[in-house]
Amino acid sequence: MEVTEGGLARFFEVVLPHVNEVQRRVVAGATSQMLGRGGKTAVATASGMSRNTVIKAEGEVVAGIEPSTRLRAAGGGDKPATDKQPGLLEALDELVHPETRGNPMSLLRWTSKSSTHLAAELVRQGYDVSSRTVLRLLHVLGYSLQANAKVTEGRQHPDRDAQFRYLNDIAQGFIDDGQPAISVDTKKKELIGDYANGGAEWGPAGAPERVQVHDFADRALGEFAKAIPYGIYDVANNEGWVNVGDVADTAEFAVNSIRSWWNGKGRARFPDADRLLITADAGGSNGYRLRAWKVELARLAAETGLRITVCHYPPGTSKWNRIEHRMFSFITTNWRGRPLTTLRTIIELISATTTDTGLSIQAAYDPNWYPTGVKITDAQLAAVPLQPHDFHGEWNYTIAQSVPA
């Protein structure tokens, strides 16, 4: 069968895009050998390869080329930058190594250690490198991009783990008995207005929502420029309730949020309940040292007829609060990239939060006024029917139903 110039060109047009460098040479060399006299020129013309490459390829085929994963012969290609520039690797390591931070001789000790910055500093030192070369060398040195890891909790109480076990046992007992067990906390205060909100959402290309450059509270709104979401998470039923205020995060506000949940959701969910368990952080508006928290809980117990048990997470462990992972994180995800322009917007976005595991949340606006700086006297505190538990009574206590003085 005669091989035409057009047919040969078509052959290489179809085959060459699908093969690597070694395979190109094998195909070209074998074809040239097959064609015989004039084959090298014909293959070079049809394939677009240089005649010298085809000559070399045929020589490799004739000599008997062995299958290999290498594309070039050993020693082929450009030499590594570290071979051409002795000391480059050590200079880069000196810039990145943690021990160099704060070194007065390092110009980068307080600047971003991006590959561009590192490359610029190495060029200043006389090396010829690009940011991409720096990235490759960083991997060679065993470095990777690192973010801060929140693992250091500071000084830990010796009974930290024991308190977690105690709290979990109490909660499981309430749930087993069909009694309500809730996790409570105040979510981060949010600015109300056309301010940037972290994250992004899908929308028409080139049409981002316009927001203000600076996150300065609107003076026209005064103290109402921030929303204060206080959350209640029903552990057993995977349900949430968020009371959104705009005055102050006080103990009175916190307890009224629990009251709102009980009246709007809890009473119907637990019609036979005579007890309520609240798990809360050690500080904030529901802190174990806050007198007003206990006085307001006593009022709630008197109103509802519930014996209220409170178990606080140990100091410094607020990130372990169940509500953070089971509810607040999903609210933040749901409104990412959305300016929280009004209280109505905030409430609607919270209420629209759901998860694949069945989380549902209701949210409501709290119009009440909550004064700050309210002093609780010794007599008021003494009137609270407080029953400290045997184990860390400051963290674990029960409040009966009698009305405080």
Side-chain angles (χ1 to χ4, degrees):
M1 183 180 67
E2 182 180 359
V3 178
T4 65
E5 183 178 335
L8 193 60
R10 176 59 181 166
F11 169 75
F12 284 115
E13 181 184 355
V14 172
V15 173
L16 294 188
H18 303 284
V19 297
N20 61 33
E21 185 176 336
V22 172
Q23 294 164 343
R24 284 167 61 90
R25 294 202 306 272
V26 171
V27 171
T31 304
S32 175
Q33 184 185 31
M34 177 188 68
L35 294 175
R37 184 178 178 81
K40 298 181 182 65
T41 301
V43 169
T45 302
S47 66
M49 301 169 67
S50 72
R51 194 171 187 278
N52 287 338
T53 299
V54 177
I55 293 172
K56 178 181 178 182
E58 184 176 338
E60 290 176 343
V61 171
V62 171
I65 186 171
E66 295 292 331
S68 173
T69 57
R70 295 185 63 91
L71 296 183
R72 295 184 177 87
D78 194 13
K79 290 184 178 180
T82 51
D83 290 349
K84 295 191 295 183
Q85 303 181 74
L88 172 59
L89 206 60
E90 292 76 7
L92 177 60
D93 189 37
E94 184 67 19
L95 290 176
V96 184
H97 196 278
E99 291 183 359
T100 66
R101 289 182 294 186
N103 180 350
M105 301 304 293
S106 172
L107 296 181
L108 296 184
R109 62 191 185 278
W110 301 125
T111 60
S112 169
K113 289 184 179 177
S114 67
S115 59
T116 303
H117 280 86
L118 292 168
E121 171 59 12
L122 290 170
V123 169
R124 190 192 69 81
Q125 295 182 18
Y127 296 99
D128 182 17
V129 292
S130 66
S131 62
R132 293 186 65 84
T133 300
V134 167
L135 284 174
R136 290 196 297 270
L137 295 180
L138 286 172
H139 286 293
V140 171
L141 289 169
Y143 290 105
S144 63
L145 287 174
Q146 300 290 324
N148 298 144
K150 294 183 178 181
V151 296
T152 304
E153 295 180 347
R155 189 174 61 184
Q156 296 182 359
H157 195 283
D159 290 334
R160 170 187 180 275
D161 292 341
Q163 173 63 9
F164 274 114
R165 288 192 294 270
Y166 184 84
L167 184 152
N168 288 332
D169 289 344
I170 294 287
Q172 191 60 57
F174 269 72
I175 293 173
D176 290 345
D177 293 342
Q179 301 293 322
I182 60 174
S183 175
V184 304
D185 195 15
T186 306
K187 193 182 184 301
K188 181 177 73 71
K189 298 179 179 68
E190 302 289 348
L191 280 174
I192 303 173
D194 56 339
Y195 303 107
N197 195 3
E201 67 170 351
W202 289 101
E209 189 151 359
R210 306 291 178 174
V211 296
Q212 296 190 39
V213 174
H214 300 290
D215 291 344
F216 298 139
D218 188 347
R219 291 186 177 182
L221 294 176
E223 58 191 299
F224 303 106
K226 289 186 178 182
I228 308 169
Y230 191 94
I232 293 91
Y233 176 68
D234 180 348
V235 177
N237 296 296
N238 196 27
E239 293 178 341
W241 179 281
V242 179
N243 192 43
V244 183
D246 56 6
V247 178
D249 183 21
T250 66
E252 186 181 2
F253 169 65
V255 174
N256 195 51
S257 299
I258 299 172
R259 180 182 289 108
S260 298
W261 164 80
W262 176 252
N263 292 332
K265 192 79 173 178
R267 191 191 304 275
R269 172 64 78 176
F270 302 95
D272 300 323
D274 57 9
R275 293 178 290 148
L276 168 66
L277 173 65
I278 300 172
T279 61
D281 290 346
S285 57
N286 43 231
Y288 72 94
R289 292 177 175 171
L290 203 61
R291 291 184 168 196
W293 164 251
K294 296 181 176 68
V295 169
E296 293 298 331
L297 282 178
R299 293 197 177 102
L300 178 62
E303 294 171 17
T304 60
L306 297 170
R307 286 176 56 84
I308 299 177
T309 296
V310 182
C311 292
H312 291 274
Y313 289 91
T317 61
S318 59
K319 68 177 182 178
W320 300 109
N321 194 334
R322 188 68 62 88
I323 196 173
E324 296 287 347
H325 307 283
R326 295 289 186 87
M327 194 171 85
F328 286 165
S329 60
F330 296 110
I331 293 174
T332 301
T333 300
N334 188 59
W335 68 27
R336 66 186 185 277
R338 297 282 300 274
L340 307 177
T341 52
T342 64
L343 277 170
R344 182 181 181 84
T345 300
I346 293 172
I347 291 170
E348 289 178 350
L349 288 172
I350 292 174
S351 300
T353 302
T354 58
T355 66
D356 293 339
T357 58
L359 171 68
S360 63
I361 305 175
Q362 293 185 23
Y365 171 57
D366 188 340
N368 295 311
W369 176 264
Y370 298 101
T372 59
V374 176
K375 302 296 183 182
I376 301 298
T377 65
D378 292 342
Q380 287 177 300
L381 182 62
V384 173
L386 190 69
Q387 301 169 0
H389 295 194
D390 293 336
F391 180 75
H392 278 286
E394 75 278 18
W395 295 340
N396 309 292
Y397 46 86
T398 298
I399 296 176
Q401 302 95 328
S402 59
V403 182

